[in-house]
Amino acid sequence: KKGYSFGTFKGVYTPSVLTIFGVIMYLRFGWVLGNVGLAGTLLIVTMATAITFLTGLSISAMATNMKVGGGGAYYIISRSLGIEAGAAIGLPLFFARAFGVAFYIAGFTEALMTVVNPLPMLDPAIAAKVISAATLVLLTALAYFSADLALKVQFAIFAAIGVSLVSFFMGNPTPEALAIPATATIPPKAAFWVVFAVFFPAVTGIEAGLGLSGDLKDPAKSLPRGTLLAIGTGYLVYMAMPVFLHLRVPDGNLLLIDSNIMTTVARWSIPIVIGVFAASLSSALGSLLGAPRTLQALAIDRVIPRFIGKGFGKDKADPRIATAISFAVALGAVLLGDLDLIAPILSMFFLLSYGLLNLSAGLEGLIESPSWRPKFKVKYGISLLGAAACFTAMLMIDAGATIIAVVVTSLVFYLIKRRQLNAHWADMRYGILTLLIRFAIHRLNKLKPDERTWRPNILALSGSPKSRWHLIEMAHSLAQHSSALTISSILPVEDWSAAKVQSMETSIRDYLAKREVEAMVKIFPSPDMLTGASALVRAYGYGPLTPNTILLGDTDNSESFTEFAELIKLVYRTERNLIMLKESNRVPAEEAIEIHVWWGGNKDNIGLILTLAYQIQKSPIWKQSKLHIKTIVDSEGERGAAKERLNSFIEEQRIPAETEVLIKQQSSFYDIIRQVSANAGLVFMGMRPPEKDETDDAYGAYYGKLMEATSQMPTLAFVLAAEKIEFRKVIGISQRG
């Protein structure tokens, strides 16, 4: 095995419990009791520990379901929610732990200088920085050369804290020791949630043991046992201390002004002073062991340069380069001095990691993948409750710092996403999306499509994207990220193979991605194009998620008119709308920015046409275009009434369009359209729906005449509405019209 192969006590329990028994226990616990009383203190301890306990349960479940490597929270989150989410929390968490080293050392220095100033010749502020820097160098040397030696030192620290607790619980102070000085000023009591925010960091030490996950002999056994045992130990001590203080200190005002109340109450004061020193140093040392290993795990996964993760020493287990970087960051924080402004933000990253650990375990249980078989079973609701508790605690402690932490994490996620790192492991994102889709489909299946939420769900029968790009461009302009789009191609059956289908799908998908077209790709084997297209129209889709609009190109092969008419009739019979795009062989004018809609009297068609015209104007290609609605009447006498109806229509429905009514002065409507729309960029026209008993030959003849009549025109989009939707309501057309 690589690493030190630490056991439960040495690798998880000791660093975790030493971080839990920190400076807050020695210097702030009495203040907590003085502000909220015994009942309030016990409630705060229980609430705070419950959050940590729920996170410990989630860690236990995750650790017994996967082979946990180095990096602690980063490793588990990245293997569950993806490398982007792991890096988004791993990088800020590294800096939080590195800066945390400076905080813990600052606490040690403050406690030391209250007892004795070893550098009296220097200004106190400068002396504090010198002592902190020297302490950092000593602790880094321990972590740099051997984590094993560092943890052995923690045994001595653990013993010192144990002795200090014994001294505290044996204390029986005299009334004189508990007297409040006459000159003392009693501060006002703080609110419950303010006190909770001060105490909560005292129970967040489980990250220390989790950070050494890559150096454990059996992470699946050690992480659950060591983490939960440390949480339990901390809870018992933290529940006993306020009860003992309440019995020994009858005047709660003393608790508000005496930050060294443990020293006042204890049987011997020296063990308490040593305990404060030991707690500060152990927390700093735990962070110095965990921060480099998070950085090392990020380097191994290529999130940061790989050389940073190089190992040295026994079994290449000591990340000395990462430790040196952690030292540099911590030294910068020490020299910076006042870090109170960023302290709340750093705490948020710890809570955010706990929340994501709970969320990972909860989602794994909710998805119920066959691979989710933890030996330590936890109901997914418990883990999700833990996630909610973590995020709620973040907001209660500092809403502003929470927002900053979320913004920073989101920014890192975005930057890693842009790098498009290819992880060599599977995560649960596919399972999460599948679960959401399953839920949505079952809900959607109980609903009927309505005019208010209608979107063109398009199946584009495009063939090769390179040869018929105009069809894909049209489909993409209509979909524009708000509708579903599928690009399909028919593969001749004699050339069919699973490998070839997959290769074609990948090739088309990559081609579309380069042109920023979001679409699904479907390759369908079939003996011929029209047979395959008909089969796709009948069968493509899943449950209620079936295409409601079919987009295809025209055909000018007269021998195929009958079969093509059969396809159009099939689309209409299956109640799918049809858009048939006929590309112009004319060179368009340079300023072809007009979209012309010709209204021939079919109200269903015009409703769909105007909906599609509105959709296409939202695309970048057509967003500057102007919409013109035109109609033709037989005589001058009809012109005024028709013009008034069109103007009233666009005014009532707030459609940004211009209207024009033309008189039929030529023998063919199509000659007028050809002349008036000569410079249009796109022309929408309606198609006649097939009659009930109309044969394929008859409708094929209609199609042939339509193609002949519309020759030498700009690009045409023929529209045939067939879906059982009142498209007049989609665009808002009045029922009176």
Side-chain angles (χ1 to χ4, degrees):
K1 281 182 174 292
K2 290 187 176 181
Y4 285 99
S5 297
F6 294 135
T8 300
F9 186 79
K10 189 175 184 179
V12 181
Y13 176 78
T14 301
S16 296
V17 81
L18 290 183
T19 307
I20 290 173
F21 293 152
V23 177
I24 291 176
M25 179 182 76
Y26 285 99
L27 302 180
R28 288 293 181 270
F29 211 3
W31 177 86
V32 171
L33 179 62
N35 277 284
V36 298
L38 180 60
T41 302
L42 297 179
L43 179 61
I44 285 176
V45 171
T46 301
M47 290 172 57
T49 307
I51 294 175
T52 310
F53 178 69
L54 292 174
T55 305
L57 292 178
S58 297
I59 291 173
S60 300
M62 301 288 285
T64 57
N65 189 68
M66 66 168 65
K67 184 179 180 181
V68 181
Y74 160 74
Y75 186 93
I76 293 177
I77 293 171
S78 63
R79 269 58 179 179
S80 300
L81 300 179
I83 191 170
E84 297 89 356
I89 195 63
L91 283 170
L93 193 58
F94 159 73
F95 282 102
R97 302 207 71 181
F99 276 106
V101 174
F103 284 107
Y104 297 133
I105 290 177
F108 164 77
T109 302
E110 181 180 341
L112 177 64
M113 294 187 70
T114 58
V115 178
V116 59
N117 185 357
L119 300 172
M121 72 292 298
L122 299 177
D123 180 80
I126 297 176
K129 291 184 178 182
V130 172
I131 294 170
S132 295
T135 305
L136 176 62
V137 170
L138 179 61
L139 294 179
T140 303
L142 281 174
Y144 186 85
F145 292 105
S146 174
D148 185 42
L149 178 60
L151 289 181
K152 287 179 179 177
V153 170
Q154 292 214 83
F155 286 148
I157 295 174
F158 184 82
I161 292 176
V163 172
S164 72
L165 290 175
V166 171
S167 175
F168 170 73
F169 284 110
M170 290 180 63
N172 188 14
T174 63
E176 292 76 14
L178 298 178
I180 299 177
T183 58
T185 301
I186 308 301
K189 293 185 177 181
F192 179 85
W193 292 116
V194 173
V195 178
F196 178 88
V198 171
F199 173 78
F200 187 79
V203 298
T204 57
I206 58 175
E207 192 77 39
L210 187 59
L212 295 171
S213 57
D215 291 290
L216 299 176
K217 180 179 181 181
D218 188 354
K221 182 176 72 174
S222 296
L223 283 174
R225 291 182 179 180
T227 301
L228 295 178
L229 186 59
I231 294 170
T233 303
Y235 182 64
L236 291 176
V237 173
Y238 281 146
M239 290 295 280
M241 286 184 66
V243 174
F244 185 79
L245 274 175
H246 181 72
L247 295 175
R248 289 289 184 264
V249 184
D251 192 344
N253 289 330
L254 179 63
L255 298 172
L256 296 174
I257 63 174
D258 187 359
S259 60
N260 293 310
I261 192 64
M262 284 189 67
T263 305
T264 304
V265 172
R267 179 73 175 270
W268 306 286
S269 60
I270 295 299
I272 302 297
V273 174
I274 295 175
V276 174
F277 294 164
S280 304
L281 294 176
S282 67
S283 298
L285 191 55
S287 293
L288 269 173
L289 291 173
R293 281 158 176 80
T294 299
L295 204 62
Q296 183 183 40
L298 288 162
I300 291 173
D301 290 340
R302 300 178 184 272
V303 176
I304 57 177
R306 294 203 73 182
F307 77 91
I308 294 176
K310 185 178 180 181
F312 298 86
K314 180 182 178 183
D315 293 329
K316 306 294 183 182
D318 291 312
R320 293 179 182 173
I321 297 176
T323 301
I325 294 174
S326 302
F327 167 79
V329 173
L331 181 62
V334 165
L335 298 178
L336 185 64
D338 185 9
L339 301 175
D340 290 342
L341 291 178
I342 63 172
I345 301 173
L346 302 183
S347 298
M348 293 305 103
F349 289 123
F350 286 105
L351 271 173
L352 192 56
S353 69
Y354 294 166
L356 290 178
L357 287 169
N358 280 301
L359 185 62
S360 299
L363 290 175
E364 287 277 22
L366 188 62
I367 293 171
E368 292 184 335
S369 300
S371 62
W372 179 247
R373 302 187 306 276
K375 295 179 181 179
F376 192 101
K377 298 185 182 299
V378 178
K379 295 289 185 181
Y380 70 85
I382 294 176
S383 295
L384 294 179
L385 176 63
C390 288
F391 299 138
T392 302
M394 290 174 65
L395 291 171
M396 289 188 300
I397 291 172
D398 193 325
T402 299
I403 294 173
I404 294 175
V406 170
V407 169
V408 171
T409 303
S410 301
L411 179 62
V412 175
F413 183 95
Y414 171 74
L415 294 175
I416 299 299
K417 188 75 174 177
R418 287 195 61 182
R419 288 179 58 190
Q420 297 181 343
L421 295 175
N422 293 320
H424 55 272
W425 64 85
D427 53 58
M428 72 166 92
R429 284 178 290 183
Y430 190 93
I432 294 172
L433 292 175
T434 302
L435 178 69
L436 294 174
I437 291 171
R438 176 183 175 275
F439 172 79
I441 285 178
H442 283 291
R443 293 286 297 174
L444 198 61
N445 204 39
K446 298 177 182 179
L447 303 174
K448 293 183 179 180
D450 57 74
E451 294 81 1
R452 182 180 179 86
T453 57
W454 187 87
R455 297 279 191 287
N457 183 356
I458 300 173
L459 171 62
L461 303 172
S462 63
S464 171
K466 295 181 180 179
S467 61
R468 308 194 81 181
W469 179 252
H470 65 285
L471 289 175
I472 297 176
E473 191 173 54
M474 177 71 171
H476 180 55
S477 296
L478 289 170
Q480 276 305 306
H481 312 298
S482 64
S483 305
L485 171 60
T486 301
I487 305 299
S488 63
S489 182
I490 307 301
L491 179 67
V493 73
E494 60 268 14
D495 294 335
W496 179 87
S497 71
K500 189 165 186 177
V501 168
Q502 186 175 4
S503 175
M504 284 186 65
E505 285 185 351
T506 302
S507 176
I508 294 175
R509 194 176 290 112
D510 292 343
Y511 186 82
L512 296 176
K514 289 179 181 178
R515 286 152 182 79
E516 298 182 348
V517 174
E518 290 185 353
M520 293 169 283
V521 177
K522 178 65 177 178
I523 304 298
F524 192 80
S526 178
D528 58 78
M529 303 296 288
L530 289 174
T531 302
S534 299
L536 265 177
V537 170
R538 289 190 184 95
Y540 183 73
Y542 183 72
L545 296 180
T546 55
N548 58 25
T549 303
I550 309 300
L551 174 66
L552 46 79
D554 68 313
T555 179
D556 55 6
N557 183 4
S558 59
E559 296 180 359
S560 302
F561 283 177
T562 300
E563 292 180 353
F564 200 72
E566 183 181 358
L567 174 61
I568 295 174
K569 290 175 63 179
L570 172 66
V571 172
Y572 187 77
R573 287 198 307 268
T574 55
E575 299 182 357
R576 288 167 169 81
N577 310 305
L578 174 70
I579 305 172
M580 185 175 69
L581 193 65
K582 181 180 181 182
E583 190 178 24
S584 175
N585 53 11
R586 298 168 52 185
V587 178
E590 292 184 3
E591 297 182 357
I593 59 173
E594 294 184 356
I595 298 176
H596 288 187
V597 172
W598 288 91
W599 189 350
N602 187 315
K603 293 180 180 179
D604 288 330
N605 277 352
I606 191 61
L608 178 58
I609 287 173
L610 291 176
T611 302
L612 297 175
Y614 172 75
Q615 282 288 109
I616 205 171
Q617 281 186 299
K618 294 190 292 184
S619 69
I621 297 176
W622 294 98
K623 64 181 178 180
Q624 301 297 332
S625 64
K626 295 180 180 179
L627 180 62
H628 295 259
I629 304 176
K630 302 177 183 294
T631 189
I632 302 174
V633 296
D634 292 325
S635 65
E636 183 69 36
E638 298 175 275
R639 186 173 188 173
K643 180 72 172 178
E644 185 178 347
R645 284 196 302 270
L646 281 180
N647 288 336
S648 176
F649 158 63
I650 65 171
E651 182 179 349
E652 289 178 4
Q653 308 308 324
R654 305 177 306 281
I655 298 175
E658 297 180 9
T659 62
E660 185 177 4
V661 179
L662 297 105
I663 300 173
K664 185 181 178 184
Q665 296 178 341
Q666 302 181 39
S667 59
S668 171
F669 289 102
Y670 297 109
D671 291 337
I672 300 174
I673 296 172
R674 186 179 293 105
Q675 179 182 347
V676 174
S677 297
N679 294 324
L682 178 63
V683 178
F684 279 101
M685 296 176 60
M687 283 185 68
R688 174 177 71 80
E691 297 176 1
K692 185 175 181 181
D693 298 323
E694 189 172 12
T695 64
D696 296 340
D697 290 335
Y699 199 73
Y702 160 74
Y703 172 80
K705 292 178 182 178
L706 182 64
M707 293 298 101
E708 182 180 355
T710 55
S711 62
Q712 297 301 313
M713 283 192 180
T715 300
L716 292 169
F718 295 98
V719 177
L720 178 58
E723 194 177 0
K724 296 302 182 183
I725 288 285
E726 293 189 56
F727 289 104
R728 293 173 295 176
K729 292 183 179 180
V730 174
I731 196 63
I733 297 177
S734 172
Q735 293 287 339
R736 300 191 304 270

